[in-house]
Amino acid sequence: MRLSMRPPASGRGLGGRALWAALLAALLLLPPASQATAPAVALDLLAGPLTQADEADRVAPTADPASLRLRDQRIRGRLVWSQAGVPDQQIEWAVRAWDATVAALPAAGLAAPGDPLALYLFADGDAFRHLTSELTGLPLSAIHGFEGGRSYAAGPPRGVYVNAGAIASAAQAARLVAHELVHLAERDAIGNRTVPRWFSEGLAERVAQRVMASVDADAAAERLWRRAAVVASALHHNVAYPPSALATPVQWNDAAAAGQDRLIYAEALLTVDWLLERGGPGAAGRVLAAVASDKPFAAALDDVTGIRVTALDASIDAALRADLLPRFPVGIHVFAPAGPPGTRFQFAAVGVPPHEVLSREFVREDGHPARDSGPPAVAGPVGSAYWTFQTRPDSEPATWWVTVQGDHGTSARLSFRVTPAGDAPAGP
């Protein structure tokens, strides 16, 4: 059969300036949030990918934590190094995330990462990059400004490194810390052997999604919905990446540099979810155990899931299309169509022209317009965009309409409803 999941043109071979330009463009394309009466809330829990250190980048560390004025603490047996300025609440969120991840790993068939292991928390993105470089010996150029966290598996600096300044909630901490701990658990399981990057990142996202749900089920469900929407949009435009195009670190990093980080993490998550559901409980652990015994990844995946790697591109394309396209036809979607006063409604544009500028107008059923419909959203490179509409705690029960007009021809109208106080929000 003809594959319609084909990779868009990537940033392979980009020089330093061009790479940063691509990354800047990717960040600028993240759509702004809309609001009615309250400050906008970021739709992505952290901007950019959560990168694990590649073996080739490892060199001798140049500093120890104490020399960089990091404070060491033992919290419920966990070693934490934190920079001055990291609030105690963020430290507690991160340690709770560590505890929750350790509890969640056995369900995936993985053991908790072994000692030595520490959690490093930095006050902002600049400190995260510079101090992580000094602690691990990684070149500063290898730690990108868009990263929120990083794992490092070798030697005394082994641990999880986090930009705590980007963490605004316990749910965010849960996802970020869990993702990086899974990378360490995987490395412990297979040693110097390798698995495709899409599998590694998808497994980290799968466990992190579940840990996040244990902390805040609503936030986790909303994030999964957004991830499904971006993959659906790519499928509508026939520009989704097949797994074979995301197998190596170079392929993965090229796609991220081309502004596709949101898409590739979402695809990896959904692909691994689909595979491991076929394999049953502990499927990930069984795949990694086979790889650890020197069985090729392709053979291990076939044994556990019944899917041949050579057929995976076609199989996952068909499975995702069957699942996502009926749920996300081209147009405008709302996560939950009804909610009580104070609900933050989330919207997604799916399958619209890439880079289209979308203006929105929110109007109540009696003709009363919202005080602020927010600035226009800009569709990303696969034709998806996201925004929110925050209702007041004292909003009157009523039906609202959002009208969307795009500068490339998109025109859509969608209703949602503020229900009486005390009503539970409707699910997606």
Side-chain angles (χ1 to χ4, degrees), residues 230-298:
V230 72
V231 176
S233 194
L235 291 170
H236 280 299
H237 284 294
N238 295 318
V239 293
Y241 287 82
S244 62
L246 297 171
T248 70
V250 171
Q251 289 175 319
W252 187 272
N253 293 337
D254 281 353
Q260 301 287 5
D261 51 277
R262 186 199 302 266
L263 172 63
I264 61 178
Y265 277 89
E267 285 189 3
L269 168 62
L270 298 185
T271 298
V272 170
D273 272 352
W274 181 76
L275 284 168
L276 298 188
E277 291 301 321
R278 294 176 64 91
R286 298 200 305 277
V287 170
L288 295 178
V291 171
S293 67
D294 290 325
K295 178 172 283 192
F297 173 80

